[in-house]
Amino acid sequence: MKRSVDEIVASRRMRRNRRFDWSRRLVAESSISANDLIWPIFIIDGENKRESIAAMPDVERLSADLAVEAARMAVDLGIPAIATFPNVDLKLRDNDGSEILNPDNLINRVTRAVKAEVPDIGIITDVALDPFTDHGHDGILQHGEILNDATVETLARAAVLQADAGADIIAPSDMMDGRIGAIRDALDEAGHAQVAIMSYATKYASGFYGPYREAVGTGGLLKGDKKTYYIDPANTDEALRETALDIEEGADMVMVKPGMPYLDIIRRVKDEFEMPTFAYQVSGEYSMIMAGVEKGFFDEERVIMESMLAFKRAGCDGILTYFAPKVAKLLSEQ
Ligand code: PBG
């Protein structure tokens, strides 16, 4: 006897595929592997020195020798790249962030040390002035304004110095207009045509950066906010226009930052541009999860892995995350 439409619909069973572990694995649409991870690490002067960061349990600032060890561990875990963020001696910070132009500054010393000892890891360096300025802004401050073009000029010179030291990918996190093109030109002119650019294409004026500012020591310094150069959290189309410009100017990869509050942006960027697309699961996202874990609200492994899948599902090719070594370890134990 022929079944009615109602009967056919009633016999549908979405739960069939969810019945067994093997069938769930078989139909899984997204997955995470160590290959998807970039590990941001905080660096400091000194030797055999590690400092904890109150708001970021299990994350430390490391001196160059320990950063080399961290890079070695990353390679052993199958993590393709690290991204370095310096906590610069306060005495070296000034209005223009001039220490960024010291070829032997903390970032460049660590890059050289890691490249010499761990040649198989990719090194991503942040080119931004905030760890170097005494006001905590990402640009040169004049009469209460962040100067765009003067900042871009400094960033382009700093990028060349970072590439000279051995950086594989330059990642400008400052959001000045025109910086990608200027950095590309400067790198090419200096013979660094092979060095890539990962643009922080959509960086939002977010409250989730708080713990990072403790980590690099800019929190107490920052005067005002970064709303004149980072994107307003209310905007989506603007993020796409910004990303389009960065790609036109020569970005090889694009990033959305922060991550979890902006999964919609990741999806739109990936669909629109089909570029290698990354998310930065920022310090505040890390601290939020760890605070929940410490309070006993979450199962640590579950929520960390779920957050990784969320990024992959949204369209990310990779994720910058302070959880990178934890995730890679969990994956290697599976
Ligand atoms: C600034 C910069 C920020 C982060 C990295 N570089 C944001 C800021 O301090 O305004 C945030 C990283 C994080 O929160 O994990 N160039």
Side-chain angles (χ1 to χ4, degrees), residues 9-320:
V9 169
S11 71
R12 285 196 187 141
R13 287 284 181 264
M14 289 302 286
R15 290 179 55 192
R16 258 178 229 125
N17 291 344
R18 301 177 196 148
R19 209 168 154 213
F20 304 108
D21 177 65
W22 64 260
S23 62
R24 289 190 293 271
R25 282 188 283 128
L26 199 59
V27 300
E29 298 170 41
S30 307
S31 63
I32 175 88
S33 102
N35 295 331
D36 302 320
L37 302 170
I38 296 170
W39 184 18
I41 60 170
F42 296 112
I43 51 179
I44 41 168
D45 282 317
E47 225 194 288
N48 194 25
K49 210 164 121 190
R50 55 174 84 242
E51 292 174 354
S52 54
I53 299 156
M56 300 181 76
D58 302 341
V59 173
E60 294 173 316
R61 303 184 195 97
L62 304 171
S63 56
D65 52 326
L66 298 183
V68 168
E69 268 178 39
R72 205 169 274 133
M73 178 174 101
V75 166
D76 291 344
L77 287 168
I79 296 171
I82 57 170
T84 55
F85 295 92
N87 184 312
V88 176
D89 189 337
L90 280 179
K91 289 194 296 289
L92 297 173
R93 303 189 196 199
D94 60 21
N95 185 67
D96 297 356
S98 53
E99 173 67 7
I100 202 172
L101 296 177
N102 174 0
D104 215 27
N105 66 19
L106 178 57
I107 296 185
N108 296 333
R109 283 201 309 278
V110 168
T111 301
R112 282 198 190 88
V114 172
K115 270 285 143 179
E117 301 284 329
V118 194
D120 291 339
I121 193 106
I123 303 191
I124 302 173
T125 51
D126 182 45
V127 64
L129 290 184
D130 59 295
F132 299 96
T133 56
D134 56 14
H135 44 71
H137 279 290
D138 297 28
I140 297 167
L141 186 63
Q142 199 179 72
H143 310 307
E145 246 192 69
I146 301 299
L147 301 184
N148 194 88
D149 298 0
T151 299
V152 168
E153 215 182 294
T154 300
L155 294 178
R157 285 167 61 201
V160 170
L161 297 174
Q162 292 180 358
D164 288 345
D168 301 292
I169 301 178
I170 304 294
S173 67
D174 58 292
M175 294 294 284
M176 296 301 125
D177 286 322
R179 83 250 198 252
I180 301 296
I183 290 171
R184 185 69 271 158
D185 288 349
L187 288 173
D188 290 354
E189 264 168 44
H192 291 303
Q194 301 296 330
V195 171
I197 299 176
M198 174 186 284
S199 96
Y200 286 65
T202 32
K203 183 167 185 182
Y204 283 93
S206 169
F208 286 97
Y209 306 141
Y212 165 90
R213 294 184 187 165
E214 179 205 337
V216 298
T218 57
L221 299 177
L222 187 63
K223 295 188 187 81
D225 57 48
K226 302 191 176 184
K227 290 179 186 171
T228 68
Y229 44 105
Y230 293 175
I231 299 181
D232 184 338
N235 298 350
T236 302
D237 292 341
E238 184 184 351
L240 264 77
R241 292 207 306 281
E242 178 77 51
T243 307
L245 277 177
D246 285 7
I247 294 169
E248 239 170 74
E249 290 176 32
D252 300 282
M253 309 167 181
V254 295
M255 188 210 295
V256 174
K257 176 182 181 178
M260 274 174 54
Y262 297 93
L263 294 176
D264 57 323
I265 310 296
I266 296 168
R267 170 48 64 198
R268 273 192 84 187
V269 165
K270 185 64 182 175
D271 286 349
E272 179 84 16
F273 302 108
E274 300 171 324
M275 287 284 288
T277 303
F278 294 81
Y280 197 143
Q281 184 178 44
V282 300
S283 57
E285 299 174 70
Y286 178 90
S287 302
M288 203 161 53
I289 289 176
M290 290 307 286
V293 168
E294 288 190 342
K295 285 215 168 234
F297 296 156
F298 303 142
D299 176 277
E300 180 175 14
E301 295 178 8
R302 263 190 91 175
V303 294
I304 292 174
M305 292 314 239
E306 190 175 330
S307 72
M308 293 300 116
L309 273 185
F311 290 120
K312 292 300 298 287
R313 200 186 60 237
C316 279
D317 295 286
I319 303 126
L320 289 97

